[in-house]
Amino acid sequence: MSSDRRQASSPVRFCVGASAGGHTSQLLSLLENDGGWPISPTVCVTTLDILRSQFEKIGPTTVIGECNRKQPVAAVAVFIRALRFVLAERPDVLVTTGAMPLALVAIWVKVFGGAVVWIDSVARIRSMSLSGRLVRRFADLTLVQWPHLADETEGIEYVGQLL
Amino acid sequence: MTFVIVGSVAPFDRLIRAADALAAEYPHEHWFAQIGDGAYLPTNMEYVRFMAKPEFDLRLAGSDKLIGHAGMGTISTALGLGKPLLVMPRDPERGEHVDDHQIATAEYFAGAGHVLAAAEAHELGSAYLELSTFDPVPRTPTPAKVAQRIGQFLSTFESRRSTTRQ
């Protein structure tokens, strides 16, 4: 079913995703300023049902639930939903502004051969998020939004701020 | 109207309780709160737990003062509309967030004149008095630069893909 749809649309399965709140605001800010990317998002992943309508303007949307590092049970559930999502959609590339639920999606995207772009939140001023520090180990591109957090030797780049 | 916002991810009873006390002090003012999954229910202001974007935007449009947690969604919304915002950062010691990044956010954005900040509930009242005359310093983010870098990555990614396919 989904493979037919994939062939009919863009050849690159391009997933964008973000958690609620500022993470979503940052992703939407990015997409509003894309200025003609070579490919367009084909599928979205987010964490709360109240965000669905905002994401569906971009593409078909899957909701995987919220979790954080202090909610291990919720995190396991989100990790499983993230796996189901990645198996169903097989993204070639994921662009995300966080947070932890999207780090879990990023792990599966990478496991199944996709590329990962992680943009650490502008809310992270003193240091990168825990999720960012995990994902940057395997991400294909890692951006931070404060110049002092960039690290050339680690390939962590600063180019600007989304919000 | 003063609109109180805790965001959609986690409750923030300490803020709602403090704002509710202010609402009792200033009953002539119209108060409306978005309280999330909080256990404390306001008695001096109207409230909802969550709102979809269209309703949220309507409430914002009708507000002249905002009080919120120090989340970037809330801060950027206020700055985007040029509305005065008073933030109280979530404190990890009180289980209000996973770490102290909202404290850093509140310090930075208040220091730059973008928002007012109150770390503790007892500081909210005096900060609220300043809010009606507070003129936020506009912020100029650079999303196009980030988008350009991502676009550059997507181009190499696209060509890499077509090469491997041939």
Side-chain angles (χ1 to χ4, degrees):
Chain A
M1 177 200 86
S2 55
S3 63
D4 291 348
R5 199 183 67 213
R6 279 177 209 149
Q7 275 164 15
S9 60
S10 166
V12 178
R13 296 182 297 269
F14 176 9
C15 174
V16 292
S19 293
H23 300 281
T24 290
S25 311
Q26 287 169 77
L27 183 67
L28 296 177
S29 165
L30 175 71
L31 296 175
E32 281 161 18
N33 286 280
D34 72 22
W37 283 349
I39 51 174
S40 298
T42 54
V43 63
C44 303
V45 57
T46 186
T47 57
L48 294 177
D49 252 316
I50 51 167
L51 297 168
R52 191 184 284 277
S53 60
Q54 278 173 273
F55 278 91
E56 278 177 345
K57 290 174 192 159
I58 303 160
T61 301
T62 300
V63 174
I64 59 168
E66 272 292 343
C67 66
N68 64 49
R69 71 181 94 137
K70 291 188 176 162
Q71 302 164 327
V73 178
V76 170
V78 171
F79 198 39
I80 292 166
R81 281 184 224 114
L83 170 61
R84 281 203 209 110
F85 166 74
V86 171
L87 283 176
E89 299 294 342
R90 287 299 186 93
D92 296 309
V93 57
L94 167 71
V95 172
T96 179
T97 47
M100 182 172 162
L102 273 299
L104 300 179
V105 173
I107 290 170
W108 290 124
V109 167
K110 198 71 194 177
V111 164
F112 290 97
V116 170
V117 177
W118 179 271
I119 306 166
D120 215 50
S121 174
V122 70
R124 294 293 171 168
I125 299 178
R126 284 184 195 150
S127 60
M128 277 185 83
S129 67
L130 196 63
S131 297
R133 277 177 271 162
L134 166 75
V135 173
R136 69 142 180 91
R137 293 166 194 273
F138 61 84
D140 298 80
L141 176 63
T142 303
L143 302 181
V144 287
Q145 297 189 58
W146 295 92
H148 60 270
L149 298 181
D151 187 336
E152 220 172 278
T153 56
E154 298 284 345
I156 299 166
E157 299 178 32
Y158 167 82
V159 289
Q161 295 179 321
L162 291 171
L163 288 185
Chain B
M1 182 175 84
T2 301
F3 185 16
V4 186
I5 306 159
V6 305
S8 45
V9 180
F12 194 5
D13 281 344
R14 188 163 58 98
L15 175 60
I16 294 301
R17 202 184 296 268
D20 197 36
L22 274 182
E25 234 178 283
Y26 301 97
H28 57 279
E29 184 73 37
H30 180 198
W31 291 76
F32 188 86
Q34 181 265 318
I35 67 166
D37 281 328
Y40 177 80
L41 301 181
T43 54
N44 305 301
M45 49 189 186
E46 289 176 65
Y47 64 90
V48 290
R49 289 195 179 276
F50 300 99
M51 273 175 283
K53 187 81 167 53
E55 193 197 339
F56 185 72
D57 287 345
L58 270 179
R59 291 287 176 188
L60 277 173
S63 312
D64 59 350
K65 292 192 273 298
L66 305 173
I67 297 179
H69 73 148
M72 275 314 301
T74 302
I75 292 173
S76 68
T77 298
L79 286 172
L81 296 168
K83 301 219 177 195
L85 166 67
L86 166 56
V87 298
M88 181 187 278
R90 292 175 182 272
D91 177 5
E93 305 277 306
R94 293 170 164 115
E96 292 161 355
H97 214 313
V98 292
D99 61 25
D100 65 356
H101 73 273
Q102 280 208 356
I103 295 170
T105 301
E107 280 171 8
Y108 176 85
F109 283 83
H114 298 309
V115 301
L116 295 179
E120 295 294 333
H122 66 83
E123 298 164 10
L124 203 68
S126 56
Y128 181 70
L129 288 177
E130 290 174 48
L131 196 57
S132 45
T133 54
F134 176 63
D135 190 11
V137 173
R139 184 171 158 77
T140 47
T142 49
K145 288 191 177 173
V146 182
Q148 193 184 9
R149 178 67 186 94
I150 308 274
Q152 197 188 342
F153 172 82
L154 293 172
S155 311
T156 62
F157 173 78
E158 188 24 323
S159 56
R160 234 181 18 230
R161 241 185 88 85
S162 1
T163 317
T164 48
R165 268 181 176 175
Q166 279 158 13

